[in-house]
Amino acid sequence: MVATKKTTKKKATKKKATKKSADVVDPRAPVPVSPKAMDETLAAIEQAIGRLTPPAEPETGQLVSGLLHRIFADGLPCGHGQEALRRIDSEYVDRNEYRVTEAYETEEVMADLDLPETFERCRTAKEIVGQIYNDQNSVSLEFLREAPAAERKGFYMRVPVITPPMIDFLAQVVSYEEILFSPRSTQRAQARIGFDPKAAATTKFFDRLRELIAPFGHVPMQVGADTTDGKPLLEPELCPMCLLARLGAKK
């Protein structure tokens, strides 16, 4: 009888733990496009932008940096991705030096950030940078902004370490930056990520978004000024780039 009671208690505990895990909400989970979601996203971006200082002149964002940010911030507040990138930029002269550095060396640089699976993140980031260089002869993904669909697909087939979730993330970033900064009509890009280009709510959303983002020249991936103690900022939870990337993203 004693053994039976212990077994029952163990099962109950397991069920409780499963329920608790299921209740955890992924802050980067896809958000369907709706007027309410657009308003909430704008409010969150306004909060994040208010903590940032635009560059002296608008500048183009770097898609490789965005991808590294996503890797180191996955499952965590964006301040972890911001601090990880700051350390990479401070520790290495450029992306080429970072490319030839061993993952365990970068793990040491990130040690006190307490990232889950730190080495795996460092290894994935290094492999991505290395495969991009091998394919493009440079550590750059800027060609994705203008590349036709077939060319992008071919690239991702040649660089399998960039997983489908990462591909979807890059597609969102490129689509939003096309909508925000392209002088051409962007109705097709808007429709591609789930917006109704003819809706008044869509026009209002992108008009306000352009006002917020224009001084930067790109969608920022910071949540505030870099800290002097090297600790990641935890509020706001998501940077403007990740806030937009989840809106209209694939499930």
Side-chain angles (χ1 to χ4, degrees), residues 35-149:
K36 180 182 178 182
M38 285 188 275
D39 288 344
E40 291 176 346
T41 299
L42 269 182
I45 289 176
E46 287 181 357
Q47 179 192 15
I49 289 290
R51 298 168 181 246
L52 302 176
T53 301
E57 296 289 339
E59 53 191 30
T60 303
Q62 300 298 314
L63 294 178
V64 171
S65 294
L67 199 52
L68 295 179
H69 168 90
R70 185 67 173 79
I71 291 168
F72 285 104
D74 189 35
L76 302 164
C78 281
H80 288 82
Q82 175 176 322
E83 176 59 20
L85 270 178
R86 187 196 68 77
R87 294 185 182 195
I88 289 173
D89 291 339
S90 297
E91 188 74 18
Y92 308 108
V93 174
D94 54 26
R95 290 288 187 263
N96 274 319
E97 183 185 1
Y98 173 65
R99 174 178 63 87
V100 298
T101 302
E102 296 295 337
Y104 73 82
E105 295 179 79
T106 307
E107 182 186 25
E108 293 175 0
V109 173
M110 307 294 178
D112 62 329
L113 279 180
D114 295 326
L115 300 172
E117 300 179 327
T118 303
F119 179 76
E120 290 302 318
R121 293 173 194 255
C122 293
R123 183 172 65 178
T124 297
K126 173 182 165 53
E127 288 179 352
I128 284 177
V129 169
Q131 288 190 19
I132 291 172
Y133 179 85
N134 291 340
D135 189 82
Q136 296 293 310
N137 200 32
S138 68
V139 186
S140 174
L141 289 173
E142 300 315 295
F143 75 95
L144 292 176
R145 299 184 190 279
E146 300 295 334

Side-chain angles (χ1 to χ4, degrees), residues 19 23 28 43 55 75 87 95-96 107 143 193 199-200 202 213 236:
K19 182 179 180 182
D23 290 340
R28 291 180 180 77
R87 294 185 182 195
R95 290 288 187 263
N96 274 319
E107 182 186 25
F143 75 95
I193 53 178
T202 298
I213 302 299

